[in-house]
Amino acid sequence: MRFPADLSWEPPADVIITAGEVIVIVDIAGMDSDSINIVTDGSRLKVGGVRGSSCCEGRKQYHQIEIRVGRFYREIELPVPVDHGKTTARYERGMLEIRVARTDPSSHVRKVEIE
């Protein structure tokens, strides 16, 4: 996805835990969905991409700049065990919603028999 040195900005995110899933909502307005990368990695969810300027080609003079552009990256530690195979994402009205199904923590524990 990217290395920390490439970090330009970090979008705000909410993490919601329900009985059956973890929902992560990331505020990244002004993007095309194909410009967003989502990766699950162990207990981490990684979201990155590049947001370009949405205004005015050619020469311009800024009076105020608050909207972040360029590379962005957000890494979120998921608070409960999840099933990465059951992950969905939807991008609508500037909000990226990622849903990851929860899994039983005991399913990650395995007793190893000695031969």
Side-chain angles (χ1 to χ4, degrees):
M1 178 121 26
R2 69 115 188 107
F3 296 103
D6 294 338
L7 181 61
S8 176
W9 63 283
E10 187 177 53
D14 292 342
V15 179
I16 303 147
I17 304 169
T18 69
E21 61 190 356
V22 176
I23 304 166
V24 177
I25 301 171
V26 185
D27 184 356
I28 48 175
M31 301 283 304
D32 291 324
S33 59
D34 56 344
S35 299
I36 303 167
N37 297 307
I38 304 167
V39 174
T40 58
D41 182 8
S43 64
R44 298 185 181 281
L45 179 68
K46 302 174 182 182
V47 179
V50 179
R51 178 166 65 188
S53 177
S54 62
C55 175
C56 321
E57 295 297 321
R59 187 180 167 108
K60 55 193 162 229
Q61 178 181 351
Y62 285 95
H63 172 72
Q64 182 170 327
I65 300 174
E66 293 183 10
I67 299 171
R68 301 283 193 129
V69 296
R71 292 185 182 279
F72 70 90
Y73 179 77
R74 185 65 194 257
E75 186 170 315
I76 297 164
E77 180 79 26
L78 298 172
V80 295
V82 295
D83 181 350
H84 295 291
K86 295 181 180 174
T87 302
T88 61
R90 181 174 63 125
Y91 182 65
E92 187 176 328
R93 297 182 350 186
M95 303 301 261
L96 174 64
E97 180 182 279
I98 304 163
R99 292 176 174 260
V100 188
R102 291 180 67 170
T103 187
D104 180 6
S106 65
S107 69
H108 296 282
V109 177
R110 190 181 107 205
K111 182 176 182 193
V112 177
E113 297 294 331
I114 300 172
E115 293 179 13

